Structures are given as C-alpha cells and as structure tokens.
Amino acid sequence: MEETPTAADEQDRALVRGYLEGQPDAAGGLVARYQKRLFNLALRMLDNAQDAEDVTQTVFLNAFLKLRTFDPKYRFFSWIYRITVNESLNVLKRRKPTVTLEDEPAIPAPEAAPEDATEAQDRLSQALLCLKPDDRALVVLRHFLFFSYEEMANVLEIHVKTVKSRLFSARERLRMALREGEA
C-alpha cells in the first residue's frame, strides 16, 4: 500500500524529530526511506554509479549535520532532494572533461527500430548526458522520478511557471539530442 503524501510527511517529521531528540533508529529510518531514491536521482544526473554513491553519502552527511535548520512546515523529501540535486550539479561542475579512445557505440539509422528496450534506454541515457546539468535535472525529476510541477519548483527553488518553461526547453533539447544520435 502506497503512503499518501501527508502520511509520508508525518513519518518524515517524526523521524526528524526523533533524530534531533537522540533516538538511535531515527537516522536509519530516514536513510532507509530515501537512500535508493536519492541514489537513483544522482545516478540519472551523473551517469556514474560511484559518483552517485558518493553524492548520496555526502547528502546524508550534510542533511544530518544541518537537520536542525530543516523547517518542518515544509516537506522533508523536497529538502533532501534539493540537497541531492545541488550536490549532483556541484559534482558535474567539478568534473574534468574526458576523452575516450574507444569507438562510439553504433546507433541505428532513423528508420531502424531499436532491437530492444536496453538499446533505447542507452540512447536516452546518452542523450540526457548531452543536456546541460540544469536541463537534465528537470527531465529526471519530471520523467524518471515523476515529480509534479509544484514538487519540482520546491526542489529547484523556482516558480512553477519557470519549471514549465524550462522543462519545455529541456524537452526540445532532448529531442534534438536524440535526433542527432540517430544520424
């Protein structure tokens, strides 16, 4: 049975309160609730499992260090997702450009359908990597994590109208990247 947002929010608030009051299992409860989701967000942003693990650990460390600054009138998941997006963007900014000596994987011609879902997923992953990190964050939050526009606005700290406008542009750039990958 899936939790309603208010039930999830109440459970998060109780775990935060418990952690701040020194309850030993509260930190583990927050990690258990969010570790997989934060890792997946970071992995989509970074396309590197080791970097995603590092980001996830850093996010939890920073979250626990700053948990006293969390305002319970807001949703905990928005707060911790915002930290994850920001840390992922920081990692992307610190990355040095790399050059590969391997041949690029063959991508089928536009008229050829992908032979399987894995190939289509690989093409999408490559196209996502062509996007600017801010565009990638929008696409990942909306289409892979299924955030509402309001949730995206909270996480990214921008207005809903700005989310919609930027997401439209990001989708257009993604479409162009996918087309270029077909050529």
Side-chain angles (χ1 to χ4, degrees), residues 160-174:
V160 172
K161 286 183 179 182
T162 306
V163 166
K164 290 178 180 180
S165 172
R166 290 182 184 173
L167 182 59
F168 176 82
S169 299
R171 286 176 180 146
E172 289 301 309
R173 286 189 273 277
L174 181 60

Side-chain angles (χ1 to χ4, degrees), residues 32-166:
R33 286 176 60 78
Y34 288 98
Q35 184 171 19
K36 186 175 180 179
R37 291 190 264 179
L38 298 181
F39 172 80
N40 285 332
L41 170 58
L43 183 62
R44 286 282 179 190
M45 293 286 298
L46 302 168
D47 194 44
N48 180 293
Q50 184 61 52
D51 286 347
E53 286 178 16
D54 292 346
V55 163
T56 304
Q57 288 179 353
T58 301
V59 165
F60 279 115
L61 176 65
N62 290 337
F64 289 128
L65 289 173
K66 296 177 182 178
L67 204 52
R68 292 201 183 283
T69 67
F70 169 69
D71 186 346
K73 71 180 180 183
Y74 297 107
R75 298 181 74 188
F76 178 78
F77 99 93
S78 295
W79 184 73
I80 200 158
Y81 270 66
R82 181 180 321 123
I83 295 171
T84 306
V85 168
N86 289 340
E87 184 62 28
S88 296
L89 291 172
N90 289 340
V91 167
L92 287 170
K93 287 176 190 171
R94 288 191 299 262
R95 273 190 185 164
K96 301 280 189 255
T98 58
V99 176
T100 180
L101 299 177
E102 299 172 12
D103 292 332
E104 291 295 317
I107 296 176
E111 66 276 355
E115 290 184 17
D116 60 25
T118 304
E119 186 176 338
Q121 187 66 31
D122 290 345
R123 287 183 53 233
L124 180 58
S125 293
Q126 288 302 311
L128 273 172
L129 292 175
C130 292
L131 296 178
K132 294 185 300 184
D134 291 338
D135 287 348
R136 191 179 321 153
L138 288 162
V139 171
V140 168
L141 289 173
R142 181 68 179 171
H143 297 289
F144 293 92
L145 301 175
F146 308 106
F147 276 35
S148 70
Y149 293 122
E150 291 78 17
E151 290 168 332
M152 292 171 65
N154 287 334
V155 167
L156 299 172
E157 297 180 315
I158 56 179
H159 295 287
V160 172
K161 286 183 179 182
T162 306
V163 166
K164 290 178 180 180
S165 172
R166 290 182 184 173

